[in-house]
C-alpha cells in the first residue's frame, strides 16, 4: 500500500500539478462541452500528496472563507468554510490524505465540481460531503411564456413588495434544508442594491416585477456579468445571473414563474448575452422541478460538509 505524505507545493511540483489538472480538465470537458477547466495552478501554493518516490498524485489548494454575522451570504454559507480549489487527485488515497490535511477545526468544507461527473457524489460522500447547491446554465434563446401578466422593471414604490418576496423566497427553503436560512442582513442588502439601481449607479443589474390583477406578485433580480478569463465556472462570454426569483405562494404552479422568466430573458437578451445562470438548492422541491422545465441545465455542483445545525 502506498503511503502518501502531504506537504505545501513547491515550485518544482508545477509540472506534475499541471499534468494532474490537465488530465482532469480533459476528462470532464469531454463529458460536458460547456466546461473549460484550468490547466495550471494559478493561485497561491496549495497542498500536494506525494508518494515515497516523490511522485505528486494529488493537489488541493484550501482557501478559508470567513463571513461576518452581517454578511447576507450567511443565508447560504457557513461562517467559516474551507473551499477546496484546484483539486485533482490520481487516486482516492491521495485525495483522502489531502482532505485530512486541508480540514480546519470548526470550519465547513466546500468543493465546486462539474455536475456531469457521475462519480463525484460517491467520492465526496466518503468525506461526508453532500451535493447542496447547483449552478445551472441556460443557453441564449427565447423562452415560451406562460399566462398573460404584466412584467415590468421594479420602481421605488415596489420596494416593500420586492423585499417581502425576496424574504419569502429564502424562507421557503427553511423546512426543506438546513443549508439556507433567513439572516438579518438579507433584506437590508437587497434594499441597498435596489437603492443603487434606482440611483443609476448600477447599470448591469435589473429587478423585474410580475403584476397580476394590478398587484406585485413576483420578482426577478438579474445581473449581467462578463467572463473573460479561461478556466472559471463559465466559458468566456456575457451572462445574465438571476439572483432571486420568486412568485408569491398563492400564485405558484400556475405558469406565472414561466411568464416572469420569459419576459426577463426577452429584456436581457437585448443587452446581448450568451446565457443565463442561477444557483438553486437541491433540497428545494420546487426549484429542482422548475428550472429544468425552463431550460436551465446543471453545470456545477457545490458539495459541502457542515457541522449541523447551522
Ligand atoms: C420557483 C418559482 C419562482 C416558480 O414559479 P411558479 O409560478 O411556481 O412556476 P410555474 O408555474 O411557471 O412553473 C414553471 C415550470 O415548472 C413546473 N412546475 C412548477 N411547480 C411544479 C411542481 N410543484 N412540481 C413539478 N413541476 C412544477 C411547471 O409545470 C412548469 O413547467 P411547464 O411550463 O414546462 O409545464 C416559484 O415556485 C417560487 O417562488 N418558489 C418558492 C421560492 C423559490 O424556490 N424560488 C427559486 C429559488 S432558486
Amino acid at each position: 500500500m502506498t503511503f502518501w505524505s502531504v506537504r505545501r507545493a513547491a515550485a518544482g511540483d508545477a509540472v506534475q500539478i499541471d499534468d494532474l489538472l490537465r488530465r482532469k480538465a480533459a476528462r470532464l470537458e469531454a463529458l460536458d462541452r460547456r466546461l473549460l477547466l484550468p490547466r495550471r495552478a494559478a493561485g497561491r501554493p496549495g497542498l500536494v500528496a506525494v508518494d515515497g518516490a516523490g511522485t505528486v498524485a494529488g493537489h488541493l489548494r484550501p482557501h478559508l472563507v470567513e463571513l461576518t454575522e452581517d454578511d447576507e451570504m450567511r443565508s447560504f454559507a457557513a461562517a467559516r468554510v474551507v473551499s477546496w480549489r484546484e483539486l485533482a487527485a490520481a487516486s482516492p488515497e491521495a485525495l483522502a490524505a489531502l482532505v485530512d490535511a486541508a480540514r480546519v477545526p470548526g470550519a465547513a468544507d466546500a468543493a465546486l465540481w462539474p455536475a456531469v461527473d457521475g462519480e463525484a457524489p460517491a467520492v465526496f460522500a466518503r468525506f461526508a460531503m453532500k451535493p447542496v447547491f447547483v449552478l445551472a446554465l441556460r443557453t441564449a434563446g427565447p423562452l415560451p411564456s406562460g399566462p398573460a401578466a404584466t412584467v415590468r422593471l421594479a420602481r421605488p414604490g415596489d420596494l416593500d413588495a420586492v423585499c417581502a418576496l425576496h424574504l419569502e423566497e429564502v424562507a421557503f427553503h427553511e423546512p426543506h434544508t438546513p443549508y439556507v436560512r433567513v439572516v438579518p442582513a438579507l433584506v437590508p442588502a437587497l434594499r441597498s442594491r435596489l437603492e443603487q439601481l434606482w440611483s443609476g449607479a448600477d447599470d448591469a443589474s435589473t429587478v423585474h416585477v410580475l403584476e397580476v390583477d394590478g398587484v406585485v406578485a413576483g420578482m426577478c433580480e438579474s445581473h449581467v456579468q462578463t467572463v473573460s478569463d479561461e478556466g472559471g465556472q463559465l466559458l468566456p462570454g456575457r451572462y445574465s445571473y438571476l439572483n432571486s426569483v420568486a412568485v408569491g405562494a398563492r400564485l405558484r404552479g400556475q405558469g406565472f414563474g414561466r411568464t416572469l422568466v420569459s419576459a426577463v430573458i426577452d429584456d436581457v437578451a437585448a443587452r446581448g448575452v450568451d446565457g443565463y445562470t442561477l444557483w438553486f438548492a437541491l433540497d428545494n422541491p420546487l426549484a429542482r422541478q422548475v428550472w429544468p422545465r425552463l431550460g436551465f441545465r446543471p453545470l456545477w455542483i457545490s458539495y459541502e460538509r457542515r457541522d449541523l445545525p447551522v
Side-chain angles (χ1 to χ4, degrees):
M1 195 177 120
T2 311
F3 175 77
W4 299 101
S5 58
V6 174
R7 60 165 169 76
R8 187 157 289 282
D13 299 321
V15 171
Q16 292 189 82
I17 294 170
D18 293 353
D19 188 51
L20 286 168
L21 291 171
R22 235 188 337 266
R23 275 186 279 154
K24 167 187 166 185
R27 177 174 80 84
L28 294 168
E29 287 169 10
L31 296 173
D32 189 339
R33 294 287 170 199
R34 302 172 301 162
L35 295 168
L36 183 59
L37 304 185
R39 279 156 167 76
R40 46 181 38 209
R44 285 181 298 126
L47 301 171
V48 285
V50 185
D51 69 10
T55 304
V56 173
H59 176 264
L60 184 167
R61 184 163 60 83
H63 177 75
L64 181 65
V65 181
E66 297 186 279
L67 299 177
T68 55
E69 263 318 304
D70 59 353
D71 191 319
E72 66 168 320
M73 283 311 294
R74 286 297 305 280
S75 273
F76 310 98
R80 301 181 81 219
V81 185
V82 179
S83 161
W84 299 354
R85 309 257 167 102
E86 294 164 357
L87 170 61
S91 81
E93 293 74 22
L95 175 60
L98 286 166
V99 169
D100 259 0
R103 282 199 161 145
V104 171
D109 296 317
L112 198 59
W113 199 261
V116 72
D117 189 358
E119 294 168 18
V123 172
F124 285 114
R126 290 182 48 179
F127 308 108
M129 294 177 78
K130 59 169 276 195
V132 178
F133 295 107
V134 171
L135 176 63
L137 171 67
R138 180 184 200 278
T139 45
L143 172 71
S145 188
T150 301
V151 178
R152 58 166 174 79
L153 290 176
R155 40 189 188 237
D158 301 319
L159 179 69
D160 290 343
V162 169
C163 289
L165 282 160
H166 183 52
L167 190 62
E168 189 182 340
E169 187 250 297
V170 177
F172 173 79
H173 292 77
E174 291 194 347
H176 304 292
T177 173
Y179 291 88
V180 182
R181 283 285 169 274
V182 171
V183 296
L186 193 72
V187 169
L190 175 63
R191 275 180 185 270
S192 101
R193 289 201 297 281
L194 287 165
E195 277 154 18
Q196 284 267 100
L197 188 65
W198 291 324
S199 73
D202 174 4
D203 62 0
S205 302
T206 43
V207 175
H208 287 79
V209 293
L210 168 88
E211 254 183 31
V212 179
D213 298 330
V215 175
V216 171
M219 67 158 296
C220 176
E221 188 181 6
S222 59
H223 182 82
V224 174
Q225 53 190 176
T226 301
V227 176
S228 46
D229 295 344
E230 297 190 350
Q233 291 163 13
L234 299 162
L235 296 178
R238 267 164 70 82
Y239 299 89
S240 172
Y241 167 57
L242 308 188
N243 181 47
S244 180
V245 189
V247 168
R250 205 171 46 84
L251 291 175
R252 286 179 201 149
Q254 298 173 42
F256 289 113
R258 177 179 273 278
T259 300
L260 171 63
V261 176
S262 161
V264 171
I265 282 176
D266 276 354
D267 258 16
V268 174
R271 294 167 164 236
V273 293
D274 301 295
Y276 307 87
T277 59
L278 55 80
W279 284 97
F280 69 85
L282 274 165
D283 288 335
N284 176 334
L286 285 178
R288 64 170 186 253
Q289 302 277 355
V290 167
W291 297 122
R293 301 288 304 175
L294 303 187
F296 287 83
R297 288 174 50 217
L299 182 62
W300 291 90
I301 292 182
S302 178
Y303 291 85
E304 302 192 13
R305 178 196 61 85
R306 293 190 198 180
D307 293 326
L308 299 173
V310 281

